[in-house]
Amino acid sequence: MKFGTLYAYWTSDWHGDYKLFAKKVKDAGFDILEISAGDLLTMSDAEINELKLVAADLGISITSNIGPPKDKDVASKDPAVREAGIKFLSDIMTQMDKLDSRALVGVIYTCWPSQFDDLDKQGMWDRGVQSVKRLAKVAGDLGIDYCLEVVNRFETTVLNTCEEGLQFLADVDMDSVKMLLDTFHMNIEEDNIPDAIRLAGDKLGHLHVGEGNRNLPGQGSLPWNEIGQALRDINYTKGVVMEPFVKAGGKVGEDIKVWRDISKGADEATMDKNIKESLEFLKKAFLG
């Protein structure tokens, strides 16, 4: 397993200084920095190459995370919107290839956050499958894992459980498409988190981890030792990426619905200390 964290732990916007965050994750002991995939579309080739060199020098890898906006929804009823979404995600993967980022993760089968103005789940499912088939071809040609995030009922109508994720993957039937499970979402939707991980098996391409209130692993009540055992049972070797959201405010706080300071007033130095300790806790639980 490789361990990482999303950059947004330290920010209130869906953007950031990734060279700075690369150093932070290295100092904390992580292997992976997860960035906002959309930022790659505004970065020059020189900026992308500079970040690539920084990551290589630090010995970390970069994964890319996106929740496409509504006007880029690949499951939309509007063919023009679907085409815009396919181009948007394809262009992101072209930039990722320049960066040597080999996993695109998120709700990349529809839009996020959902506005719930289309409750035709089957229609969204069918259109999403057809779009993802096309995107899977791009991902496969570039050597990128296209990882579909299963999220809770309050964020999408499409994929809420591991079982649904497996059926969607079967409908797409492309090797480059994997599933992303997230302990926060599983805590809401799954009867048993470790069993859902075992059900995913070799289809699991990425794992997000966080407590039931989006705090750092080890700060709540999720069964981390049992989750770690399930990962070892399926011989999981890919990314385990924290997605902690502990500060209210900004676009991040608004979209994630963080309305209070979960960090209990932590300053940046304390934030750095807390995430380093959480990683140590998680490695002990997951590596056995």
Side-chain angles (χ1 to χ4, degrees), residues 144-165:
I144 290 172
D145 284 342
Y146 195 87
C147 299
L148 311 178
E149 183 166 11
V150 177
V151 298
N152 71 74
R153 70 191 73 183
F154 306 109
E155 298 187 31
T156 189
T157 60
V158 185
L159 299 183
N160 299 139
T161 66
C162 177
E163 186 175 4
E164 288 183 328

Side-chain angles (χ1 to χ4, degrees), residues 53-182:
L53 292 175
V54 167
D57 184 60
L58 293 170
I60 64 170
S61 58
I62 294 176
T63 56
S64 302
N65 188 320
I66 190 74
K70 185 173 176 57
D71 64 354
K72 305 290 192 300
D73 183 358
V74 299
S76 172
K77 291 179 179 178
D78 185 336
V81 172
R82 295 200 300 275
E83 289 299 321
I86 289 169
K87 183 180 187 303
F88 175 71
L89 292 167
S90 297
D91 288 348
I92 282 173
M93 287 190 279
T94 297
Q95 298 296 87
M96 287 173 60
D97 186 51
K98 297 174 184 177
L99 182 60
D100 195 23
S101 176
R102 297 298 157 192
L104 178 61
V105 310
V107 185
I108 45 180
Y109 49 88
T110 182
C111 65
W112 184 91
S114 175
Q115 303 302 308
F116 295 100
D117 51 359
D118 182 359
L119 299 181
D120 176 16
K121 177 166 179 159
Q122 190 61 55
M124 293 177 68
W125 182 293
D126 293 342
R127 293 187 295 270
V129 165
Q130 293 308 309
S131 294
V132 171
K133 281 179 179 284
R134 292 172 59 186
L135 289 159
K137 177 65 166 56
V138 178
D141 288 347
L142 294 174
I144 290 172
D145 284 342
Y146 195 87
C147 299
L148 311 178
E149 183 166 11
V150 177
V151 298
N152 71 74
R153 70 191 73 183
F154 306 109
E155 298 187 31
T156 189
T157 60
V158 185
L159 299 183
N160 299 139
T161 66
C162 177
E163 186 175 4
E164 288 183 328
L166 288 172
Q167 184 58 60
F168 197 97
L169 262 61
D171 291 351
V172 172
D173 193 25
M174 301 284 278
D175 289 342
S176 58
V177 182
K178 309 291 185 185
M179 181 162 45
L180 162 56
L181 292 176
D182 182 316

Side-chain angles (χ1 to χ4, degrees), residues 2-10 16-26 30-36 51 54-55 58-65 99 101-103 206 240-242:
K2 300 293 185 181
F3 294 85
T5 190
L6 182 69
Y7 74 96
Y9 175 67
W10 291 283
D17 182 346
Y18 299 124
K19 289 181 291 181
L20 170 64
F21 297 143
K23 294 179 175 66
K24 278 185 173 289
V25 301
K26 179 64 175 181
F30 288 104
D31 311 298
I32 298 169
L33 169 65
E34 192 151 288
I35 69 171
S36 173
L51 178 57
V54 167
L58 293 170
I60 64 170
S61 58
I62 294 176
T63 56
S64 302
N65 188 320
L99 182 60
S101 176
R102 297 298 157 192
H206 203 72
V240 174
V241 174
M242 293 184 191

Side-chain angles (χ1 to χ4, degrees), residues 227-244:
I227 292 169
Q229 183 60 59
L231 292 168
R232 296 193 296 274
D233 288 346
I234 65 170
N235 299 311
Y236 184 73
T237 60
K238 293 182 178 289
V240 174
V241 174
M242 293 184 191
E243 218 182 22

